[in-house]
Amino acid sequence: MTAAGINELVSTRVFDVPRELVYRAWTSPELLARWWGPRGFTNTFHEIDIKPGGEWLFTMHGPDGAEYPNRCVFVELVPPERVVLDHLSGHQFRVTAIFEDLEGRTRVTFRQLFKDTEEFEQAKPYCMEGNEQNLDRLGELLTEANI
């Protein structure tokens, strides 16, 4: 995880699976619910319409019992190359996930660009670790035989 540019965090990870499978993990509600968020968090999806302009309304349940309502809108979907969404509740930021084919393996570049510098500085300490845990959980899902 690095701070890259103004108000932006970037994580990169390589997974030993084809990028079509990574893209599916990002765009299948059943799979997305299993890995999205830092370690110890679970999700309840209230609405998810995976198309440009489609809303994703969900509650993240923290390991301490706290609940975090979230509202996102999908901006761009380019199978199997890219998913872009705007997080519009609480801290506002854009997530851009890029999936690069590495001869059957996939490099995921996870970019999180905050709208506001003050919010970025507030969120940066926990987002840096949370984004890494998010990618850890994605990797764990991708190694399961039943997906």
Side-chain angles (χ1 to χ4, degrees), residues 8-69:
E8 185 175 41
L9 298 173
V10 179
S11 292
T12 305
R13 194 73 62 92
V14 175
F15 299 108
D16 290 326
V17 297
R19 73 180 178 165
E20 290 78 11
L21 183 57
V22 177
Y23 185 83
R24 195 174 86 190
W26 276 78
T27 57
S28 165
E30 302 79 31
L31 297 177
L32 190 59
R34 290 171 50 192
W35 68 269
W36 187 259
R39 194 162 303 289
F41 281 74
T42 59
N43 298 292
T44 300
F45 288 8
H46 309 291
E47 178 182 331
I48 185 165
D49 188 10
I50 302 176
K51 67 179 185 187
E55 283 200 313
W56 177 20
L57 305 173
F58 64 103
T59 301
M60 292 182 77
H61 310 283
D64 61 356
E67 297 202 344
Y68 305 92

Side-chain angles (χ1 to χ4, degrees), residues 68-111:
Y68 305 92
N70 286 266
R71 178 175 176 257
C72 298
V73 172
F74 289 93
V75 175
E76 184 180 26
L77 298 152
V78 182
E81 300 172 9
R82 182 171 54 250
V83 173
V84 181
L85 60 92
D86 285 339
H87 183 272
L88 301 172
S89 54
H91 297 306
Q92 293 188 14
F93 53 84
R94 173 165 286 183
V95 169
T96 302
I98 300 168
F99 316 121
E100 296 174 75
D101 179 34
L102 303 175
E103 299 178 8
R105 300 169 74 213
T106 305
R107 176 185 297 120
V108 174
T109 302
F110 182 99
R111 305 182 83 90

Side-chain angles (χ1 to χ4, degrees), residues 113-128:
L113 178 62
F114 284 78
K115 190 173 184 177
D116 180 81
T117 300
E118 186 175 320
E119 286 186 1
F120 170 70
E121 292 301 330
Q122 252 182 0
K124 184 166 61 171
Y126 62 83
C127 282
M128 289 179 75

